[in-house]
Amino acid sequence: MNDATGAADARAQATEADNAAQILDERYRPYSGARHGLAGAMRALVGSSVRFTLGLGRPARHKFLPWLAVVVALVPAIVFVGIATVLDIDLISENILPEYHQYYGFIELALFFFCGIVVPEILVADRRNGMLSLYLSTPLRLWSYLASKAAAVTVTLAVITVGPLLFLLVAYTVEGSGPDGLGDWLTVLVRILGSGIAIAATITAASLAISSLTDRRAFAVIGIILLLLGSQFVTGLLVEVAEMDPRIYAFNLSEMSEALKDRIFGVGPPELGEDDASPGLRISELSTLFVVAVNAAWLAAGAAVVWWRYRRIEAG
């Protein structure tokens, strides 16, 4: 009798519990929103990678280095604009301020710093924390993942290579020291965009190639710095000291990027004197076709190394 009563009480309690139960969270529900496919996935990855590179949405320690590079690149432009505002003369034609193509000399340090310290993290982090396999489980494929990462780095580098010159162009135009007429203004704008994006793309390919070869961020940083600075030192010794063929500068990524920028701006080679011996003068001996071909080769070689490395990772 007691057993029957106990069973009845247990059933009654179970019934009350079922009636009182509430579904507080529904998991594993099918996605019912808009599907943007591969293009949407690439846009999302580019946006998140740019934010990651610039430290947006991350703790302050991740923002300091990338924004320090941006500030270092912008400071000379701000100073020049201040000078242009104070002095009521055409500062460019009077050779008081550098011309647009000459400003790249002021951002080279910031560009090297950004590439060496910040760029490696954009590839190394995904391999180290397992996000690469997660990305490839989405509509993204290997080629689209790498293309998105390359686009993100190029965009962030363009903040340094294009941003300060656009600031100069607008400020000088408003102040009255800019190009004369709409045609000249658009020409300068196209040259700024073309040279800045070309430099950013070439250095992006080389930086990502080195970053793809190691899972250690420190090794990638060392490799990029050695490529950018070491190639300058070695080729400079061979060409300027040993007086070898200036085509050896093809192995100097920084100088060849600078040479391409000069050709885009239409800067003609200076006349060489007997005692002239500087990278800018020796590189000016090289044809424009050679300079373009070398930069294209750097871009293709970097892309090939990244693709080869990630195909091996995917196969493993």
Side-chain angles (χ1 to χ4, degrees):
M1 183 69 178
N2 291 336
D3 292 342
T5 302
D9 291 341
R11 286 195 296 273
Q13 292 176 359
T15 302
E16 291 177 1
D18 290 341
N19 292 335
Q22 296 180 359
I23 299 177
L24 300 178
D25 188 14
E26 296 182 15
R27 298 185 181 273
Y28 307 110
R29 290 179 296 175
Y31 177 71
S32 58
R35 299 179 183 273
H36 301 287
L38 177 59
M42 293 181 69
R43 286 195 301 270
L45 181 56
V46 170
S48 64
S49 298
V50 169
R51 289 175 56 83
F52 180 86
T53 305
L54 296 176
L56 302 178
R58 304 174 71 193
R61 66 179 183 275
H62 297 290
K63 297 181 176 68
F64 178 74
L65 292 178
W67 286 104
L68 175 62
V70 173
V71 169
V72 169
L74 279 172
V75 163
I78 296 172
V79 172
F80 292 148
V81 170
I83 295 174
T85 303
V86 172
L87 300 179
D88 189 20
I89 57 176
D90 191 339
L91 301 173
I92 297 179
S93 62
E94 296 292 336
N95 294 323
I96 298 177
L97 295 183
E99 296 190 33
Y100 294 99
H101 70 278
Q102 296 172 328
Y103 187 84
Y104 284 97
F106 295 94
I107 66 174
E108 185 176 52
L109 178 62
L111 185 61
F112 286 3
F113 176 78
F114 192 93
C115 290
I117 304 300
V118 180
V119 170
E121 190 70 13
I122 200 169
L123 282 184
V124 173
D126 285 350
R127 297 198 304 274
R128 194 172 57 233
N129 59 26
M131 284 297 294
L132 176 61
S133 58
L134 182 60
Y135 279 129
L136 297 182
S137 67
T138 68
L140 289 168
R141 294 296 175 260
L142 186 59
W143 71 267
S144 52
Y145 166 83
L146 294 175
S148 300
K149 288 291 184 177
V153 175
T154 302
V155 168
T156 50
L157 287 183
V159 172
I160 296 176
T161 60
V162 176
L165 274 82
L166 290 179
F167 176 78
L168 279 180
L169 176 61
V170 173
Y172 285 172
T173 301
V174 173
E175 192 273 336
S177 298
D180 296 328
L182 178 60
D184 289 342
W185 194 92
L186 291 175
T187 299
V188 173
L189 175 62
V190 170
R191 286 173 171 172
I192 289 174
L193 294 175
S195 59
I197 293 173
I199 292 175
T202 305
I203 296 182
T204 291
S207 301
L208 291 183
I210 293 175
S211 300
S212 70
L213 297 176
T214 177
D215 290 336
R216 301 290 296 273
R217 181 175 179 271
F219 291 164
V221 169
I222 294 171
I224 293 174
I225 292 176
L226 286 177
L227 173 66
L228 296 176
L229 298 181
S231 63
Q232 280 190 328
F233 178 75
V234 173
T235 57
L237 284 178
L238 293 176
V239 177
E240 309 304 335
V241 178
E243 298 183 351
M244 298 179 68
D245 193 310
R247 284 177 291 186
I248 290 176
Y249 274 126
F251 298 98
N252 187 330
L253 175 60
S254 174
E255 293 293 348
M256 294 309 297
S257 297
E258 285 281 312
L260 178 61
K261 169 263 300 177
D262 287 340
R263 307 306 166 93
I264 291 175
F265 272 94
V267 178
E271 296 182 1
L272 298 176
E274 293 181 359
D275 298 328
D276 287 332
S278 69
L281 294 175
R282 294 303 306 275
I283 286 179
S284 67
E285 300 176 24
L286 303 174
S287 69
T288 298
L289 179 60
F290 180 83
V291 171
V292 172
V294 168
N295 278 274
W298 273 105
L299 184 62
V305 169
V306 174
W307 180 251
W308 166 79
R309 172 62 176 156
Y310 272 80
R311 285 299 299 270
R312 292 191 62 184
I313 294 174
E314 187 181 43

Short mmCIF file of all heavy atoms in Angstrom, two decimals, residues 180-208:
data_model
loop_
_atom_site.label_atom_id
_atom_site.label_comp_id
_atom_site.label_asym_id
_atom_site.label_seq_id
_atom_site.Cartn_x
_atom_site.Cartn_y
_atom_site.Cartn_z
N ASP A 180 47.71 72.92 -59.55
CA ASP A 180 46.89 73.94 -60.20
C ASP A 180 45.92 73.28 -61.17
O ASP A 180 46.32 72.57 -62.09
CB ASP A 180 47.79 74.92 -60.97
CG ASP A 180 48.70 75.70 -60.03
OD1 ASP A 180 48.28 75.97 -58.89
OD2 ASP A 180 49.83 76.03 -60.45
N GLY A 181 44.64 73.51 -60.97
CA GLY A 181 43.64 72.98 -61.89
C GLY A 181 43.19 71.58 -61.52
O GLY A 181 43.91 70.82 -60.87
N LEU A 182 41.99 71.23 -61.97
CA LEU A 182 41.40 69.94 -61.65
C LEU A 182 42.20 68.80 -62.26
O LEU A 182 42.41 67.76 -61.63
CB LEU A 182 39.95 69.89 -62.16
CG LEU A 182 39.21 68.57 -61.94
CD1 LEU A 182 39.11 68.24 -60.46
CD2 LEU A 182 37.81 68.63 -62.57
N GLY A 183 42.68 68.99 -63.50
CA GLY A 183 43.43 67.93 -64.16
C GLY A 183 44.70 67.57 -63.41
O GLY A 183 44.98 66.39 -63.18
N ASP A 184 45.48 68.59 -63.01
CA ASP A 184 46.71 68.33 -62.26
C ASP A 184 46.39 67.71 -60.90
O ASP A 184 47.12 66.84 -60.41
CB ASP A 184 47.49 69.63 -62.06
CG ASP A 184 48.10 70.13 -63.37
OD1 ASP A 184 48.21 69.32 -64.30
OD2 ASP A 184 48.45 71.32 -63.44
N TRP A 185 45.31 68.18 -60.28
CA TRP A 185 44.93 67.65 -58.96
C TRP A 185 44.59 66.16 -59.06
O TRP A 185 45.04 65.36 -58.23
CB TRP A 185 43.75 68.44 -58.42
CG TRP A 185 43.49 68.22 -56.96
CD1 TRP A 185 43.98 68.96 -55.92
CD2 TRP A 185 42.64 67.21 -56.39
NE1 TRP A 185 43.51 68.47 -54.73
CE2 TRP A 185 42.69 67.39 -54.98
CE3 TRP A 185 41.88 66.18 -56.91
CZ2 TRP A 185 42.00 66.58 -54.10
CZ3 TRP A 185 41.18 65.34 -56.03
CH2 TRP A 185 41.24 65.56 -54.65
N LEU A 186 43.81 65.78 -60.08
CA LEU A 186 43.46 64.37 -60.26
C LEU A 186 44.68 63.53 -60.60
O LEU A 186 44.80 62.37 -60.18
CB LEU A 186 42.39 64.24 -61.35
CG LEU A 186 41.01 64.78 -61.00
CD1 LEU A 186 40.08 64.69 -62.21
CD2 LEU A 186 40.41 64.04 -59.81
N THR A 187 45.61 64.11 -61.36
CA THR A 187 46.84 63.38 -61.70
C THR A 187 47.64 63.05 -60.44
O THR A 187 48.12 61.92 -60.26
CB THR A 187 47.71 64.21 -62.67
OG1 THR A 187 46.98 64.42 -63.87
CG2 THR A 187 49.00 63.47 -62.99
N VAL A 188 47.79 64.03 -59.57
CA VAL A 188 48.52 63.81 -58.31
C VAL A 188 47.78 62.78 -57.46
O VAL A 188 48.40 61.89 -56.85
CB VAL A 188 48.69 65.13 -57.54
CG1 VAL A 188 49.30 64.87 -56.16
CG2 VAL A 188 49.58 66.07 -58.33
N LEU A 189 46.46 62.87 -57.41
CA LEU A 189 45.67 61.92 -56.64
C LEU A 189 45.88 60.49 -57.13
O LEU A 189 46.10 59.57 -56.33
CB LEU A 189 44.18 62.29 -56.71
CG LEU A 189 43.21 61.31 -56.04
CD1 LEU A 189 43.49 61.22 -54.54
CD2 LEU A 189 41.76 61.72 -56.31
N VAL A 190 45.82 60.30 -58.45
CA VAL A 190 46.00 58.95 -59.02
C VAL A 190 47.41 58.44 -58.72
O VAL A 190 47.60 57.26 -58.39
CB VAL A 190 45.73 58.98 -60.54
CG1 VAL A 190 46.16 57.66 -61.18
CG2 VAL A 190 44.25 59.24 -60.81
N ARG A 191 48.40 59.31 -58.82
CA ARG A 191 49.77 58.89 -58.53
C ARG A 191 49.95 58.52 -57.06
O ARG A 191 50.66 57.57 -56.73
CB ARG A 191 50.74 60.00 -58.94
CG ARG A 191 50.92 60.11 -60.45
CD ARG A 191 51.75 61.31 -60.83
NE ARG A 191 52.09 61.28 -62.26
CZ ARG A 191 52.67 62.26 -62.91
NH1 ARG A 191 52.98 63.39 -62.27
NH2 ARG A 191 52.95 62.14 -64.19
N ILE A 192 49.32 59.27 -56.17
CA ILE A 192 49.40 58.95 -54.74
C ILE A 192 48.78 57.59 -54.47
O ILE A 192 49.37 56.74 -53.79
CB ILE A 192 48.71 60.04 -53.91
CG1 ILE A 192 49.53 61.33 -53.92
CG2 ILE A 192 48.48 59.57 -52.48
CD1 ILE A 192 48.85 62.50 -53.24
N LEU A 193 47.58 57.37 -55.02
CA LEU A 193 46.90 56.09 -54.80
C LEU A 193 47.67 54.94 -55.44
O LEU A 193 47.87 53.88 -54.82
CB LEU A 193 45.48 56.16 -55.37
CG LEU A 193 44.52 57.13 -54.68
CD1 LEU A 193 43.19 57.17 -55.42
CD2 LEU A 193 44.30 56.75 -53.23
N GLY A 194 48.12 55.15 -56.69
CA GLY A 194 48.82 54.08 -57.39
C GLY A 194 50.13 53.69 -56.72
O GLY A 194 50.41 52.50 -56.51
N SER A 195 50.95 54.67 -56.37
CA SER A 195 52.24 54.37 -55.75
C SER A 195 52.07 53.80 -54.35
O SER A 195 52.75 52.84 -53.98
CB SER A 195 53.10 55.64 -55.70
OG SER A 195 52.45 56.66 -54.98
N GLY A 196 51.13 54.36 -53.58
CA GLY A 196 50.92 53.86 -52.22
C GLY A 196 50.42 52.43 -52.20
O GLY A 196 50.90 51.61 -51.41
N ILE A 197 49.47 52.12 -53.06
CA ILE A 197 48.93 50.75 -53.11
C ILE A 197 49.98 49.78 -53.66
O ILE A 197 50.08 48.63 -53.20
CB ILE A 197 47.65 50.72 -53.95
CG1 ILE A 197 46.54 51.50 -53.24
CG2 ILE A 197 47.19 49.28 -54.20
CD1 ILE A 197 45.28 51.68 -54.05
N ALA A 198 50.77 50.22 -54.64
CA ALA A 198 51.82 49.36 -55.19
C ALA A 198 52.85 49.00 -54.13
O ALA A 198 53.25 47.83 -53.99
CB ALA A 198 52.49 50.05 -56.38
N ILE A 199 53.30 50.00 -53.37
CA ILE A 199 54.26 49.73 -52.30
C ILE A 199 53.65 48.81 -51.25
O ILE A 199 54.28 47.84 -50.80
CB ILE A 199 54.72 51.05 -51.66
CG1 ILE A 199 55.56 51.86 -52.65
CG2 ILE A 199 55.51 50.79 -50.38
CD1 ILE A 199 55.95 53.24 -52.13
N ALA A 200 52.42 49.09 -50.85
CA ALA A 200 51.76 48.28 -49.83
C ALA A 200 51.59 46.83 -50.30
O ALA A 200 51.82 45.89 -49.53
CB ALA A 200 50.41 48.89 -49.48
N ALA A 201 51.21 46.63 -51.56
CA ALA A 201 50.98 45.28 -52.06
C ALA A 201 52.26 44.47 -52.12
O ALA A 201 52.30 43.29 -51.73
CB ALA A 201 50.33 45.35 -53.45
N THR A 202 53.35 45.08 -52.60
CA THR A 202 54.62 44.37 -52.71
C THR A 202 55.16 43.98 -51.35
O THR A 202 55.58 42.83 -51.13
CB THR A 202 55.65 45.24 -53.46
OG1 THR A 202 55.11 45.63 -54.72
CG2 THR A 202 56.93 44.46 -53.69
N ILE A 203 55.15 44.91 -50.41
CA ILE A 203 55.66 44.62 -49.08
C ILE A 203 54.73 43.64 -48.35
O ILE A 203 55.19 42.81 -47.56
CB ILE A 203 55.84 45.92 -48.28
CG1 ILE A 203 56.92 46.78 -48.95
CG2 ILE A 203 56.22 45.64 -46.84
CD1 ILE A 203 57.23 48.07 -48.24
N THR A 204 53.43 43.71 -48.62
CA THR A 204 52.50 42.75 -48.04
C THR A 204 52.84 41.33 -48.46
O THR A 204 52.88 40.41 -47.63
CB THR A 204 51.05 43.08 -48.47
OG1 THR A 204 50.64 44.29 -47.84
CG2 THR A 204 50.10 41.97 -48.06
N ALA A 205 53.09 41.13 -49.75
CA ALA A 205 53.41 39.79 -50.25
C ALA A 205 54.66 39.23 -49.59
O ALA A 205 54.69 38.07 -49.16
CB ALA A 205 53.58 39.84 -51.77
N ALA A 206 55.70 40.06 -49.48
CA ALA A 206 56.94 39.59 -48.86
C ALA A 206 56.76 39.32 -47.37
O ALA A 206 57.25 38.30 -46.85
CB ALA A 206 58.04 40.64 -49.08
N SER A 207 56.04 40.20 -46.68
CA SER A 207 55.84 40.03 -45.24
C SER A 207 55.02 38.79 -44.93
O SER A 207 55.33 38.03 -44.01
CB SER A 207 55.17 41.27 -44.65
OG SER A 207 55.94 42.43 -44.87
N LEU A 208 53.96 38.57 -45.70
CA LEU A 208 53.12 37.39 -45.47
C LEU A 208 53.86 36.11 -45.83
O LEU A 208 53.64 35.06 -45.21
CB LEU A 208 51.83 37.50 -46.27
CG LEU A 208 50.85 38.59 -45.82
CD1 LEU A 208 49.58 38.54 -46.66
CD2 LEU A 208 50.52 38.46 -44.35
#
